[in-house]
């Protein structure tokens, strides 16, 4: 074959001159075009693009066998076969070899034709190297994403999941099928504050990237932590089409961190908070008390007798004693209070949000009592003791270090009183506490020592001032402290079950006395006060009925006085007990009305016979118009609910007149008679 000029036709011998115009057009084609003879496969024509693609001057191709440009001889043979069979070939991906030996991917189409009587194959090739490259790249990329150790999730603009990788499925337990089409809320644990999600969405919708830690929930309900990077994905024109979330599982790290934090803030032996954490909690309690106006009591509990255990049984037993002691304390503190171990034999209790130090005093006594019980350690029963120093926020100090120091000082001073004792930091508070203790221990033996008495205060009909009944009021004269008012000792008796024997004693005595007065006055009523604490005992009604029967007093003679405290408390049984009393013909009155919640619903839900207007209203009734309006409203309301009204604490004629005008039926107060011994009341009744 003779070589030709580049712009010339490759083989004029084979091609008709008429074709020149047509071939010039082919030369402009963006596709590579070649023509080869069918009989021997020799190339007779290539266009410019073909020569470019295959990397040489086009005359170099003419006269060469087409076969040599196929990278794979097998593939070439296959093409020859299908050409024979079908006469053509459409869009087949094919690897060719350029003149310089480099491979090139192209899409091949072949048609059979006859040119000047010669059968030829007309072939078109278009370069698909770029497309194949990007496809391969995409394949590699998606394989990498699919197999990445981190979770990858793609969501659409509508927020629904469109893709999740294998790590996602492994970590969450959801299969791709279960996740796709769902909202990522699927994983929400409820442990992440809503603000975090809000911040995330405001960042993302503004086109920014969000990074942060999330606690999510797996399909099986288990929680896991991940560090998420979420970013918007934009299309070619910059519009956000998707969101890409790449997340790293950090559960182990979080667990480790929290273990470290716990170790730093908790005592290794007892698992209790250390001093540092206790101080933090105390700060929190102080902040809460600042809002509520309540008090905090800080108690330092010192475990005594540990040296003895260490010396006689060894340190292991000593440690066991500390743990047993800590467990006992833990069982005694409220859930909301903090118990900490300061070190050695010292424990700290923060009793937060209480109304009066006396509340803490009661827990201190309970702790001292309970801690004295023996501890089974190493197969032996060991006895330990404790003492407690107490200090009060805000009166004794305003910050944790001062309060802890005070409690410490108080605990040292409690040592002077011997074991099993407590002491307040402030002398005045301490004296009060000690007085309360004396009252409590004195009350325990007051009945046997005959120190109690019952006084009676007449209740009179409005207008006529005729006696219609009496309220029985407890009196106590302490051998050293003298007469102690019921306002002082009743609350102490109420804080333990001591109120029960005292109240039973009073009822028995009052029934005995009232029997005489009932004989003089057939409709005589005996009013007796009962504490909420007594309603915790289910045998209350039976006890009352038994006593009345033993003393021979008809049951309709008794009026049980309760306060709103009973109805406000959680004593769910109160209503049942009150209803039972009514069933026994015992009357019920609501005492000190107006000092508690005075909720109308109480009056509606309970069938009270009598309402006693508290002294604080009566006192003002002749001087203050608003007190008068209130008294008037209470009386009207009681009348509407068919209750009798007793005005308590009537001291002046003016009060008497006004209350009578307002429609009050009965009265009680110094104006008609002070509380007096039974003998004096006898005289009054006999007149
Ligand atoms: P209370 O049931 O409201 O009893 C009325 C109190 O008001 C009595 O005080 C009485 O002496 C006082 N009082 C009556 N009229 C006047 C007056 O005109 N002016 C003034 N300033 N005061 C008057 P007391 O006897 O000191 O009793 C105080 C509270 O102690 C009683 O209030 C009652 O809640 C409680 N209490 C007394 N005895 C018992 C008892 O046996 N059991 C229970 N659970 N509580 C009792
Ligand atoms: Mg009363
Ligand atoms: Mg009262």
């Amino acid at each position: 074959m003779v070589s030709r000029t580049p712009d010339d036709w490759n083989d004029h011998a084979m091609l008709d001159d008429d074709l020149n115009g047509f071939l010039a057009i082919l030369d402009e084609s963006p596709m590579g075009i070649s023509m080869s003879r069918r009989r021997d496969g020799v190339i007779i024509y290539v266009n410019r693009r073909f020569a470019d693609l295959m990397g040489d001057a086009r005359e170099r191709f003419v006269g060469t066998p087409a076969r040599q440009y196929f990278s794979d001889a097998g593939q070439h043979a296959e093409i020859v076969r299908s050409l024979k069979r079908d006469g053509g070939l459409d869009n087949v991906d094919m690897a060719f070899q350029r003149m310089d030996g480099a491979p090139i991917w192209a899409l091949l189409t072949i048609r059979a034709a006859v040119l000047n009587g010669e059968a030829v194959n007309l072939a078109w090739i278009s370069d698909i190297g770029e497309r194949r490259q990007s496809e391969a790249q995409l394949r590699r990329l998606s394989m990498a994403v699919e197999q990445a150790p981190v979770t990858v999730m793609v969501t659409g603009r509508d927020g629904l999941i469109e893709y999740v990788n294998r790590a996602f499925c492994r970590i969450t337990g959801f299969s791709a099928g279960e996740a796709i089409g769902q909202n990522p809320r699927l994983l929400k644990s409820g442990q992440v504050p809503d603000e975090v999600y809000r911040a995330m969405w405001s960042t993302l919708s503004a086109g920014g990237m969000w990074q942060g830690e999330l606690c999510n929930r797996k399909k099986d309900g288990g929680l896991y932590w991940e560090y998420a990077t979420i970013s918007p994905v934009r299309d070619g024109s910059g519009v956000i089409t998707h969101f890409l979330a790449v997340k790293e599982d950090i559960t182990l790290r979080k667990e480790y961190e929290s273990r470290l934090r716990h170790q730093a803030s908790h005592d290794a032996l007892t698992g209790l908070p250390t001093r540092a954490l206790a101080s933090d909690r105390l700060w929190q309690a102080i902040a809460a008390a600042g809002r509520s106006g309540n008090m905090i009591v800080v108690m330092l509990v010192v475990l005594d007798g540990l040296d003895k255990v260490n010396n006689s049984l060894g340190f292991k037993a000593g440690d066991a004693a500390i743990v047993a002691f800590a467990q006992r304390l833990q069982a005694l503190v409220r859930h909301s209070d903090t118990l900490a171990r300061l070190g050695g034999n010292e424990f700290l209790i923060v009793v937060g949000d209480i109304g009066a130090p006396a509340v803490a005093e009661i827990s201190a006594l309970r702790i001292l009592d309970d801690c004295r019980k023996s501890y089974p350690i190493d197969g032996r029963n060991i006895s330990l003791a404790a003492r407690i120093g107490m200090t009060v926020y805000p009166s004794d100090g305003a910050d944790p270090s001062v309060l802890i120091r005070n409690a410490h000082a108080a605990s040292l001073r409690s040592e002077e009183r011997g074991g099993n004792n407590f002491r307040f930091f402030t002398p005045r508070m301490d004296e009060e506490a000690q007085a309360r203790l004396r009252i409590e221990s004195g009350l325990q033996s007051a009945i046997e020592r005959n120190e109690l008495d019952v006084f009676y205060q007449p209740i009179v009909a409005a207008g006529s001032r005729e006696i219609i009944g009496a309220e029985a009021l407890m009196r106590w004269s302490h051998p050293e402290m003298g007469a102690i008012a019921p306002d002082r000792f009743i609350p102490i008796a109420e804080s333990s079950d001591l109120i029960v024997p005292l109240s039973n004693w009073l009822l028995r005595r009052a029934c005995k006395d009232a029997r005489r007065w009932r004989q003089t006055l057939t409709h005589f009523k005996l009013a007796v006060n009962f504490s909420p604490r007594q309603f915790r005992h289910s045998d209350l009604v039976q006890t009352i009925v038994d006593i009345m029967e033993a003393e021979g007093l008809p049951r309709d003679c008794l009026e049980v006085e309760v306060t709103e405290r009973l109805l406000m408390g959680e004593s769910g049984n109160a209503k049942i007990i009150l209803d039972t009393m009514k069933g026994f013909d015992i009357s019920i009155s609501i005492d000190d009305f107006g000092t508690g919640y005075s909720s109308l619903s109480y009056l509606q839900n309970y069938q009270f016979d009598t309402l006693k207007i508290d002294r604080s209203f009566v006192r003002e009734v002749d001087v203050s118009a608003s007190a008068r309006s209130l008294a008037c409203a209470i009386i009207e309301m009681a009348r509407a609910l068919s209750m009798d009204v007793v005005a308590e604490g009537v001291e002046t004629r003016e009060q008497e007149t006004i209350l009578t005008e307002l429609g009050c039926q009965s009265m009680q107060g110094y104006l008609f008679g002070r509380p007096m011994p039974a003998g004096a009341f006898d005289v009054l009744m006999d007149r």
Side-chain angles (χ1 to χ4, degrees), residues 11 239 350 569 628 673 677:
D11 197 338
V239 175
V350 178
R628 196 159 45 238

Side-chain angles (χ1 to χ4, degrees), residues 368-513:
L368 292 173
D369 225 40
D370 221 66
C371 291
R372 215 171 7 197
K373 292 176 193 149
S374 66
Y375 297 76
I377 283 163
D378 268 2
R380 301 184 201 205
N381 278 328
I382 288 172
S383 50
L384 298 165
R387 60 204 152 77
I388 301 176
M390 298 203 276
T391 189
V392 180
Y393 168 89
S395 55
D396 296 350
D399 74 73
S401 63
V402 172
L403 290 167
I404 295 175
R405 199 173 59 221
N406 288 351
H408 212 270
S411 79
L412 287 176
R413 271 187 271 137
S414 73
E415 210 168 356
E416 299 159 11
R417 293 203 175 120
N420 262 291
N421 227 311
F422 73 82
R423 191 152 191 162
F424 272 103
F425 175 71
T426 316
R428 190 181 51 78
M429 239 180 244
D430 199 52
E431 278 157 27
E432 279 172 20
Q434 296 310 319
R436 273 195 292 270
L437 277 183
R438 269 166 77 195
I439 288 175
E440 190 175 344
S441 69
L443 264 182
Q444 276 160 353
S445 45
I447 299 177
E448 295 112 76
R449 289 204 243 145
N450 226 353
E451 293 164 5
L452 295 178
D453 200 357
V454 187
F455 273 29
Y456 298 92
Q457 184 176 31
I459 299 174
V460 302
S464 69
R465 291 196 180 181
E466 271 170 29
I467 294 177
I468 54 170
E471 177 169 3
L473 296 158
M474 189 135 18
R475 293 292 177 264
W476 179 28
S477 74
H478 190 276
E480 294 134 33
M481 298 164 89
I484 302 172
D487 281 339
R488 181 128 172 78
F489 72 83
I490 294 283
I492 294 173
E494 278 178 343
S495 69
S496 68
D497 262 340
L498 212 60
I499 189 70
V500 174
L502 291 182
S503 191
N504 290 348
W505 172 86
L506 174 133
L507 182 64
R508 191 166 287 121
R509 169 68 69 85
C511 286
K512 227 188 269 295
D513 291 332

Side-chain angles (χ1 to χ4, degrees), residues 471 473 529 561 591-592 612 648 668:
E471 177 169 3
L473 296 158
N529 298 287
E561 288 193 6
D591 199 1
D592 302 345
K612 298 186 82 167
E648 292 189 290
Q668 178 182 353

Side-chain angles (χ1 to χ4, degrees), residues 273-294:
T274 54
R275 179 188 294 263
L277 182 54
S279 293
D280 275 0
R281 300 262 179 90
L282 190 45
W283 274 124
Q284 287 166 16
I286 287 171
R291 287 191 295 271
S292 66
N294 275 340

Side-chain angles (χ1 to χ4, degrees), residues 307-421:
D307 284 354
K308 254 198 305 192
V309 179
N310 281 338
N311 291 337
S312 58
L313 299 173
F315 285 100
K316 249 182 94 184
D319 282 354
I322 290 173
V323 171
F325 182 75
Q327 283 167 349
R328 228 172 256 190
L329 287 181
Q330 188 78 74
L332 290 168
V333 301
R334 294 180 305 178
H335 189 64
S336 53
D337 295 339
T338 296
L339 168 65
R341 182 173 177 220
L342 298 190
N345 59 346
E346 290 181 354
F347 295 82
L348 191 82
I349 301 175
V350 178
V351 186
D353 230 11
I354 54 172
V359 175
E361 216 174 287
I362 294 165
S363 14
L365 286 171
R366 200 147 22 101
I367 289 169
L368 292 173
D369 225 40
D370 221 66
C371 291
R372 215 171 7 197
K373 292 176 193 149
S374 66
Y375 297 76
I377 283 163
D378 268 2
R380 301 184 201 205
N381 278 328
I382 288 172
S383 50
L384 298 165
R387 60 204 152 77
I388 301 176
M390 298 203 276
T391 189
V392 180
Y393 168 89
S395 55
D396 296 350
D399 74 73
S401 63
V402 172
L403 290 167
I404 295 175
R405 199 173 59 221
N406 288 351
H408 212 270
S411 79
L412 287 176
R413 271 187 271 137
S414 73
E415 210 168 356
E416 299 159 11
R417 293 203 175 120
N420 262 291
N421 227 311

